[in-house]
Amino acid sequence: MYEEKNHKHENRFHYGQRNMWTGILFGFGVVAFIDEVIFHQLLHWHHFYDKSTANIGLVSDGLFHAFSFFATIGSAFLLADLHRKHGFWFKRWLGGILLGAGVFQLYDGIIQHKFMRLHQIRYNVDIVPYDLVWNVLAAILIVIGIALLLKTNQYKR
């Protein structure tokens, strides 16, 4: 038992990049899932693609939901592989999650909302407070994620 406990995370430095990318993929999937469930389904604020009929909007939401599902499940398989190889590193994985979640949210808020105009967070209201909260929260997630990843980089040296 003692020997097994000592070797539990023996390969985490070797699998540091994989921990980060597994976390990033999980962060993408979880934030996309939360966006889909809360803003698309429960609040009905928008669809993934709002430039057509409601039926097309629902289909786009379904495709978006499939993306979030596959990203989350795919990352779960990668995470299981890290555990199998005794390479799981929680802080590095968490840093990846926060970075992935923030990047996805910032991409959604700037590229999809502003440049591509696929949808807005909400319609028929002053959008500025929503945009500020959405994008500032994304930036905070990115900064915390990068800080955790940089901190774990120091351990590898």
Side-chain angles (χ1 to χ4, degrees), residues 23-57:
I24 287 172
L25 187 60
F26 187 76
F28 283 176
V30 167
V31 166
F33 176 79
I34 291 168
D35 181 20
E36 167 70 24
V37 169
I38 293 174
F39 300 108
H40 297 225
Q41 294 175 4
L42 297 176
L43 296 175
H44 299 265
W45 282 2
H46 62 264
H47 294 292
F48 178 76
Y49 184 71
D50 274 339
K51 297 202 174 259
S52 187
T53 65
N55 286 339
I56 296 297

Side-chain angles (χ1 to χ4, degrees), residues 18-36 64 67-76 78-79 92-108 134 138 141-142 145 149:
R18 189 173 298 181
N19 273 279
M20 180 189 72
W21 286 107
T22 300
I24 287 172
L25 187 60
F26 187 76
F28 283 176
V30 167
V31 166
F33 176 79
I34 291 168
D35 181 20
E36 167 70 24
F64 181 51
F67 161 77
S68 71
F69 177 78
F70 286 120
T72 305
I73 296 302
S75 69
L78 293 170
L79 182 62
R92 191 130 177 100
W93 181 68
L94 181 60
I97 290 172
L98 296 172
L99 178 61
V103 166
F104 180 87
Q105 189 162 329
L106 195 61
Y107 164 80
D108 183 43
W134 191 262
L141 290 170
I142 290 169
L149 291 172

